[in-house]
Amino acid sequence: MNEEATRLLIEGARATGVDAARHLGAFADLLRLLQEGNARHNLTALKTEEDIVLKHFVDSLTCLRGGHLQGSLRVLDLGTGGGFPTFPLGIVQPELQITPVDATRKKIEYVRATAEALDLPQITPRSGRAEELGRDPELRGTFDRVVVRAVAALPILAELALPFLKMGGLLVAQKGPITPEELNAGRRAAREVGGEVREVDPFTLPVTGDDRTLIVIEKVAATPEKYPRAVGIPNSKPLF
Ligand code: SAM
């Protein structure tokens, strides 16, 4: 990792309370593996080391805002793509038991190989659609947290994520700026699937100043059996 990218990583991570200097080797390995994997699997459009560090590594670490990802929690990363936020979180919080999930099998093969290469055995990837995995008795209702970054609008996320959570578990959704309309629809969808919006935390990404919002939804009631609906329906016909 070049000098400027290293500086940005340390400075950006510090803004979320993380001492990235302790993990420089792991982040440098992740950067190299992502660049190599990108040639085969189209994992990210970002090309420069500085962009990858800020817009994937530091951006993923902002999921730690609010302190909801501390301890040996069972965490599902819904729509992990090239492993974000899974890898940055797994590197700095190795006690988290993370299951990254993605509909694209090739991406999950990359994530599995990368977890092995980084020696992060607590990361156990699964390929499949959230609509189907959310009905698997081994996964439904078994997670303390669902994290999600850049996957869908809030009402869709609520329907896909809440079935995975235990009672009292939290969905931690990292998004760009959110409109009042999306937030309102997300609140209504959350209630329909057993959730309640607990936090809406707007902030700017360190260094770049890009707008982000961290939304936390708590599971307060059982998710009705009819959710999630069949593959594609949550996206094509959002609850609200
Ligand atoms: N979270 C990653 C990140 O922040 O870089 C990837 C974001 S990418 C824009 C969205 C990913 O979500 C894609 O890899 C896609 O395959 C996955 N995805 C979308 N809908 C999904 C679903 N219903 N079940 C599983 N994966 C899904």
Side-chain angles (χ1 to χ4, degrees):
M1 191 187 306
N2 71 41
E3 223 174 273
E4 178 61 3
T6 305
R7 189 188 70 74
L8 291 170
L9 176 62
I10 291 173
E11 185 186 328
R14 190 182 298 129
T16 26
V18 172
D19 180 8
R22 293 174 48 218
H23 307 285
L24 285 182
F27 278 110
D29 288 345
L30 176 60
L31 179 65
R32 179 179 48 78
L33 292 163
L34 182 65
Q35 287 174 319
E36 288 170 8
N38 211 23
R40 293 192 299 279
H41 303 307
N42 198 20
L43 301 165
T44 176
L46 301 177
K47 298 286 179 231
T48 71
E49 295 194 0
E50 292 83 350
D51 265 357
I52 291 173
V53 159
L54 282 176
K55 296 180 186 170
H56 283 319
F57 297 0
V58 171
D59 194 89
S60 293
L61 290 174
T62 64
C63 293
L64 295 169
R65 286 172 68 88
H68 301 298
L69 296 168
Q70 308 288 332
S72 56
L73 301 168
R74 238 172 92 73
V75 181
L76 183 135
D77 175 8
L78 198 164
T80 192
F84 299 103
T86 282
F87 287 126
L89 295 179
I91 288 171
V92 306
Q93 306 271 81
E95 64 279 20
L96 295 174
Q97 305 293 315
I98 311 180
T99 301
V101 161
D102 204 280
T104 307
R105 196 172 44 81
K106 292 263 173 214
K107 289 183 180 173
I108 287 299
E109 281 171 11
Y110 161 82
V111 170
R112 185 170 288 122
T114 300
E116 266 177 38
L118 294 173
D119 194 20
L120 296 172
Q122 78 278 19
I123 293 177
T124 51
R126 288 282 299 257
S127 75
R129 301 234 12 148
E131 295 93 322
E132 291 171 335
L133 296 176
R135 295 193 163 276
D136 180 336
E138 280 184 17
L139 301 175
R140 190 178 176 99
T142 67
F143 288 88
D144 302 293
R145 303 286 184 265
V146 174
V147 291
V148 61
R149 191 186 83 132
V151 173
L154 197 57
I156 300 165
L157 294 180
E159 177 173 358
L160 295 179
L162 267 285
F164 288 110
L165 287 171
K166 297 175 185 168
M167 202 65 74
L170 302 177
L171 164 61
V172 178
Q174 202 256 40
K175 298 178 63 68
I178 186 165
T179 63
E181 292 75 26
E182 183 183 342
L183 184 56
N184 191 33
R187 282 188 201 282
R188 297 170 71 190
R191 281 190 199 119
E192 173 67 20
V193 295
E196 195 65 51
V197 174
R198 292 293 188 218
E199 286 177 30
V200 179
D201 172 21
F203 64 100
T204 53
L205 191 62
V207 186
T208 68
D210 293 344
D211 288 321
R212 294 282 182 274
T213 316
L214 202 71
I215 294 149
V216 178
I217 297 178
E218 181 181 354
K219 180 149 172 174
V220 295
T223 301
E225 278 303 316
K226 60 183 172 182
Y227 299 121
R229 291 170 293 166
V231 167
I233 304 292
N235 283 71
S236 62
K237 293 185 182 156
L239 288 171
F240 291 97

